[in-house]
Amino acid sequence: MKILTLSRNAELYSTRRISEEAEARGHEIHVADYVKSYMMIEPGNPSIYNDGEELIGYDAVIPRIGASKTFYGASVVRQFEMRGIFCANQSMAIVRSRDKLRTLQILSRRKVNIPKTAFASTPNDIDDVIDRVGGAPVVIKILEGTQGIGVVLAETKKAAKSVLEAFLGLRVNILVQEFIKEAKGADIRVFVVDGRAVAAMKRQGVEGDFRSNVHRGGSVEKTRLSREERATAIAAAKAMGLAVAGIDLLRSERGPLVLEVNSSPGLEGIEKASGVNVASKIIEFLENKYNREQKDRIGV
Ligand code: ADP
């Protein structure tokens, strides 16, 4: 197969590992910086160029789109889709997953368990909103935040009210969420490929922080998933229409709850913590897809 990874930098751990495994499995693989690629939108001939050369002749595309480049990145992925090229994740699913609220709305519709969450735009109903998510402590999240920035734990109703008033006064979109105390500052990242939970790790926040983000100094370790955790992660990826996804779960008293869904999940932490060759699983998925399509084409 001839594969193209859309990534800002070929040297990033995840991008490099995907290239290594593709080559080890006998494929030709290239990396293109999607931000530096441009598109021609013409009737019947949607094309993509990078460094003056057309990106053409690929059998599959692996999008690795950064959160801050979602609009442009997803547009490049869509351009490949318009050419009928198979993309490991679809542009539509990537865009959906980048909106925390939209993700939770989709998950709730598919009956995937999530923490009780509210979304409001005026301070008038603050008391009611806090009560409906179960009362203080509550977690307040800025919708556009990532890597734990803009995630606040309000211990009392009074604190929650002042934080909410401040954010709403600044016209920032926020979610109010039930605090899952039993998670004890840890969450579980499950890597799902083609409807299977292929690897998992537990992330633990630094002492005294309820947030487990590795970017905030958290640590990772291997973990064994329960059947329910596996099923929840797989259901979340399916609901979002993502073939390759990193699903973040909290271990709660009422079972696993999905916090977030990531459409370009990193490989470094999870490969090291779990010992699983995740990059190879992604390539295998592309091979299976490709082989199925070839069979369809020759009518076997
Ligand atoms: P970000 O996208 O910024 O990482 P998250 O929603 O994933 O934001 O929250 C960051 C971390 O905070 C999570 O990994 C988790 O450890 C913790 N956390 C988030 N929401 C809750 C919650 N409702 N209850 C308990 N811990 C939470």
Side-chain angles (χ1 to χ4, degrees), residues 1-286:
M1 266 199 292
K2 199 173 157 193
I3 303 169
L4 179 70
T5 306
L6 294 174
S7 165
R8 296 296 328 264
N9 182 349
E11 294 311 312
L12 294 174
Y13 180 93
S14 305
T15 308
R16 188 166 48 76
R17 286 284 303 122
I18 287 169
S19 296
E20 278 169 12
E21 290 306 318
E23 278 166 4
R25 297 178 73 93
H27 305 293
E28 183 181 338
I29 185 159
H30 300 164
V31 178
D33 180 351
Y34 53 92
V35 175
K36 293 189 180 147
S37 303
Y38 63 94
M39 299 161 261
M40 289 301 297
I41 299 115
E42 285 177 286
N45 184 31
S47 51
I48 308 108
Y49 299 83
N50 184 281
D51 259 341
E53 281 194 32
E54 187 171 1
L55 297 173
I56 199 165
Y58 291 98
D59 299 304
V61 168
I62 303 177
R64 302 283 315 167
I65 309 300
S68 62
K69 302 287 178 201
T70 301
F71 180 79
Y72 197 80
S75 307
V76 177
V77 176
R78 192 178 314 112
Q79 188 79 347
F80 281 101
E81 289 165 358
M82 296 299 107
R83 289 192 70 91
I85 308 295
F86 176 70
C87 298
N89 275 334
Q90 288 183 9
S91 56
M92 175 84 158
I94 296 170
V95 171
R96 274 193 212 124
S97 72
R98 288 291 155 80
D99 179 335
K100 281 186 197 211
L101 175 63
R102 191 171 176 186
T103 299
L104 292 173
Q105 287 176 312
I106 294 169
L107 296 177
S108 82
R109 176 176 176 215
R110 297 294 176 91
K111 299 193 175 69
V112 177
N113 287 331
I114 53 176
K116 258 187 222 158
T117 306
F119 183 57
S121 71
T122 77
N124 303 347
D125 307 313
I126 284 183
D127 278 305
D128 193 38
V129 164
I130 296 172
D131 291 343
R132 279 185 193 277
V133 299
V138 292
V139 176
I140 298 165
K141 298 184 185 182
I142 297 179
L143 259 193
E144 287 79 21
T146 61
Q147 302 178 351
I149 297 161
V151 180
V152 180
L153 175 62
E155 305 265 7
T156 63
K157 194 167 183 176
K158 216 169 130 192
K161 278 176 78 167
S162 33
V163 174
L164 284 171
E165 272 165 4
F167 279 149
L168 292 176
L170 292 168
R171 302 199 183 284
V172 174
N173 285 318
I174 42 130
L175 293 178
V176 185
Q177 205 164 59
E178 119 186 66
F179 175 51
I180 308 300
K181 191 165 165 243
E182 353 34 299
K184 296 198 189 84
D187 75 357
I188 310 296
R189 162 61 63 94
V190 186
F191 208 107
V192 177
V193 180
D194 197 18
R196 284 173 47 225
V198 299
M201 66 176 170
K202 180 176 168 182
R203 300 183 296 197
Q204 181 73 54
V206 289
E207 186 73 39
D209 198 334
F210 77 103
R211 296 164 302 180
S212 57
N213 302 70
V214 177
H215 290 98
R216 309 201 52 80
S219 57
V220 298
E221 63 181 70
K222 194 175 172 152
T223 189
R224 254 187 84 87
L225 295 178
S226 68
R227 261 198 10 208
E228 204 187 356
E229 286 165 351
R230 250 168 220 284
T232 302
I234 292 167
K238 186 167 178 225
M240 297 299 295
L242 289 168
V244 177
I247 312 291
D248 294 344
L249 302 175
L250 285 180
R251 285 182 164 150
S252 85
E253 275 163 1
R254 56 176 204 278
L257 305 177
V258 177
L259 254 194
E260 218 176 2
V261 175
N262 195 315
S263 55
S264 291
L267 300 189
E268 186 165 13
I270 198 132
E271 284 200 330
K272 288 181 179 164
S274 68
V276 175
N277 185 340
V278 176
S280 168
K281 303 276 181 196
I282 295 173
I283 305 299
E284 253 177 77
F285 156 57
L286 297 183

